[in-house]
Every structure is written in structure tokens, then in C-alpha cells.
Amino acid sequence: NAGVTQTPKFQVLKTGQSMTLQCAQDMNHEYMSWYRQDPGMGLRLIHYSVGAGITDQGEVPNGYNVSRSTTEDFPLRLLSAAPSQTSVYFCASSYNTGGYGYTFGSGTRLTVV
Amino acid sequence: AQSVTQLDSQVPVFEEAPVELRCNYSSSVSVYLFWYVQYPNQGLQLLLKYLSGSTLVKGINGFEAEFNKSQTSFHLRKPSVHISDTAEYFCAVSDQDFGNEKLTFGTGTRLTIIP
């Protein structure tokens, strides 16, 4: 079992560029989510999905898009990168039952210059 | 809406000493509670969770946590820490009524073990 796989691990973007962070899980989890981690702020929810074809916004969705065409994949798109989006991004997945707990990917460290 | 407060951003502890990392939460409904650990340059790993039943929960690596509903707290403890426990620890909460795993995290506590 690979668990949750995120690519790339590191990325440097110029302001205004777009890119997609990839996330895939092989555990047949219904629930997937994207968090960003910034110093002193913990993890903040960007977008989440409770199943294929269903997505919703989290706490900090502006500047990001998601889609969920399959159970396995949940890509995060940055539409026009800004320095404020410099962060570490984590994808996580879980069964869609209360209290199961997340499996996290190893993260993508993004720098926008 | 729920929120989580981790009162200490950094906790230095001597090796083999006990440690307590504090977590308080706020929610208008019943909750599930979690502690996650993040080792340097890694993702988060589930340490333990409280769903229901006994208020004392045991997790991996010798950690335990106690749920106190009246004080809305879920403090993490270990009786004797090791160098390998150096990491950042996150408390998280989800509403039981929400029906899925939408978690709200605290800002984290960095545990540093002093040899």
C-alpha cells in the first residue's frame, strides 16, 4: 500500500504562474482534503471532497480550485500563484465515517517568488 | 463551528522527564478528538484519538491523553520522553454531527527534548 502520494515534493513558481499539485490514494477512501501549513498557524483546510464528483470549500479556498473525477485522485490547482501562497501543502484522506482519522501525504513545499 | 487552542507553542523537556502538552477545544456539539505528530520534514501521523467511552486514551510511542468534557480539554502526556519524541504535535477536533472527517487543527506545540 502506497497510502497517500503527493507530487511534486518541492516547487518554485513565479508570481502569476499556474500549476497543479497532485494527490492520489490507494485505500479507497471516500474523503479527501487539502491543507496548507504555515508557521504558527497550524493546518488550515483549503478544499475537501466527500466522494467522486463532490467538492466543497474549506477555510481558505481563495486562489485554489479542485475537482474529484475519481475516488483515487484529488488535484489542487493554483490559478495564478501569489507570494502569499508560499506554504507547505498536505493532502489527506479518510473513510467517510466519523472518527476514523486521516492518512497524510508527505507534503509539497511550494515557494512563489 | 469548532476551534482548538494549544496553549504552548514550544515545550522544552529534559530526556526521561514527563511531559504534558495542553489542548482545549470549543464546540457546540459532541466531538471527536485527535492528536497528530509531525516529525521534521514529514507528514502528520495519527498518535491517538478519542471517540467515546473511557476518557483515558492510549496511543502509539507511549503517549496517552485524557478527555475532560467539563473543562473541554484533551491534554497529551508521556511519563518519560526520549530524544526521538522531538517533533511538532497537533491537536484536532471534528464534530460528531458533521458526518465526515472534517478536522479543525490547533496551531501546534513544538516539543524539544534536551539530552
Side-chain angles (χ1 to χ4, degrees), chain A residues 12-104:
Chain A
V12 178
L13 286 180
K14 293 183 178 179
T15 297
Q17 286 184 317
S18 63
M19 79 161 294
T20 299
L21 307 185
Q22 301 292 344
C23 175
Q25 54 90 10
D26 61 357
M27 297 169 284
N28 203 31
H29 285 168
E30 303 97 338
Y31 186 83
M32 297 185 74
S33 57
W34 277 101
Y35 284 87
R36 59 176 290 173
Q37 183 180 25
D38 302 292
M41 303 189 75
L43 282 82
R44 292 180 293 168
L45 182 63
I46 304 172
H47 285 285
Y48 66 98
S49 168
V50 298
I54 306 169
T55 64
D56 205 349
Q57 296 181 352
E59 181 185 354
V60 288
N62 292 341
Y64 307 95
N65 270 358
V66 293
S67 60
R68 184 98 177 267
S69 56
T70 67
T71 299
E72 295 77 20
D73 300 299
F74 191 44
L76 178 71
R77 280 180 284 278
L78 279 71
L79 309 174
S80 177
S84 60
Q85 294 179 304
T86 293
S87 187
V88 181
Y89 291 84
F90 287 101
C91 179
S93 71
S94 175
Y95 290 113
N96 195 22
T97 56
Y100 183 79
Y102 286 176
T103 299
F104 278 84

Side-chain angles (χ1 to χ4, degrees), chain B residues 50-86:
Chain B
Y50 171 79
L51 305 183
S52 64
S54 173
T55 57
L56 184 63
V57 181
K58 293 189 183 299
I60 61 172
N61 301 338
F63 283 93
E64 62 182 31
E66 186 157 18
F67 170 58
N68 188 319
K69 188 174 182 179
S70 62
Q71 297 188 5
T72 60
S73 67
F74 190 54
H75 300 332
L76 181 70
R77 303 186 183 101
K78 186 170 183 179
S80 175
V81 296
H82 303 286
I83 290 289
S84 59
D85 293 323
T86 296

Side-chain angles (χ1 to χ4, degrees), chain B:
Chain B
Q2 70 264 87
S3 66
V4 177
T5 301
Q6 292 183 246
L7 297 165
D8 305 301
S9 60
Q10 297 188 61
V11 174
V13 180
F14 284 104
E15 194 173 13
E16 298 184 7
V19 68
E20 178 179 84
L21 306 183
R22 296 180 293 170
C23 172
N24 288 89
Y25 69 92
S26 172
S27 178
S28 57
V29 299
S30 298
V31 297
Y32 298 127
L33 292 157
F34 304 82
W35 276 99
Y36 285 84
V37 59
Q38 184 180 32
Y39 299 105
N41 299 313
Q42 295 187 26
L44 279 73
Q45 178 182 357
L46 181 64
L47 202 54
L48 51 77
K49 61 184 177 182
Y50 171 79
L51 305 183
S52 64
S54 173
T55 57
L56 184 63
V57 181
K58 293 189 183 299
I60 61 172
N61 301 338
F63 283 93
E64 62 182 31
E66 186 157 18
F67 170 58
N68 188 319
K69 188 174 182 179
S70 62
Q71 297 188 5
T72 60
S73 67
F74 190 54
H75 300 332
L76 181 70
R77 303 186 183 101
K78 186 170 183 179
S80 175
V81 296
H82 303 286
I83 290 289
S84 59
D85 293 323
T86 296
E88 190 152 21
Y89 293 80
F90 292 93
C91 183
V93 63
S94 69
D95 287 344
Q96 290 189 17
D97 288 353
F98 199 81
N100 63 41
E101 291 285 335
K102 188 176 178 182
L103 287 184
T104 298
F105 285 86
T107 53
T109 297
R110 188 171 299 276
L111 176 64
T112 301
I113 309 303
I114 305 166

